[in-house]
Amino acid sequence: MAQKDREFVPGTLIVARGSTVAFPNLDNVRHSIYSFSKAAKFSIDLYGRDQTRTQGFLIAGTVALGCNIHDEMRGYIRVTDTPFAGKTDHNGFVTLTSVPAGGATVGVWHPRLRSPGNETSSDVTISSGSQSRRYKLRMR
Ligand SMILES: [Cu+2]
């Protein structure tokens, strides 16, 4: 997840629990990174252009990132403990493949979703023989 034009790019990143994320600074100004989130509390001191810092994410959940210098900078990392996770495209669709048949719970997270933890879920049944499921996120 880069820091470019005073934004975290991409603004939301999905990683598997245990992953290490690199944060290259591509700007001419220095940035820091902090998180007060339960899934990862950390703080990385200011660093400059073409420097990179890394952070490991060992707990599943949502990590909201900020920069001490630029208040408007917001980034989100979703740390997952399932291989069946994905980010929706610009039309709000995501395709999950090789989902086993049977009952499942589909969780949806968005930073501006108006529900506890910005998260909602629904139970679904995956029929045998279906290779993939396509989901559409509708914001209300
Ligand atoms: Cu900054």
Side-chain angles (χ1 to χ4, degrees):
M1 177 181 274
Q3 294 163 309
K4 191 172 187 325
D5 300 328
R6 301 183 185 200
E7 288 180 18
F8 289 100
V9 182
T12 297
L13 185 68
I14 300 175
V15 301
R17 182 163 49 89
S19 298
T20 296
V21 174
F23 297 96
N25 181 352
L26 307 179
D27 280 336
N28 286 320
V29 295
R30 297 196 300 162
H31 294 295
S32 69
I33 305 174
Y34 67 81
S35 161
F36 299 118
S37 304
K38 220 189 293 178
K41 294 184 208 297
F42 65 94
S43 145
I44 296 171
D45 285 341
L46 283 168
Y47 61 104
R49 182 179 177 84
D50 293 335
Q51 291 190 303
T52 295
R53 299 291 184 272
T54 59
Q55 176 70 33
F57 294 93
L58 306 177
I59 300 172
T62 303
V63 181
L65 306 172
C67 167
N68 280 317
I69 304 295
H70 308 104
D71 261 354
E72 71 284 3
M73 283 180 70
R74 286 282 177 279
Y76 298 93
I77 295 180
R78 281 284 294 184
V79 185
T80 65
D81 49 12
T82 169
F84 308 111
K87 194 161 108 174
T88 53
D89 61 22
H90 64 279
N91 289 318
F93 285 99
V94 63
T95 300
L96 305 177
T97 55
S98 307
V99 180
T105 302
V106 179
V108 172
W109 173 91
H110 186 280
R112 293 193 298 275
L113 198 61
R114 289 194 192 115
S115 54
N118 307 112
E119 206 161 357
T120 179
S121 68
S122 51
D123 293 328
V124 297
T125 302
I126 310 294
S127 53
S128 60
S130 61
Q131 292 295 304
S132 67
R133 293 287 299 223
R134 198 154 188 256
Y135 292 103
K136 167 92 169 124
L137 167 63
R138 274 188 219 88
M139 298 296 288
R140 282 173 240 252

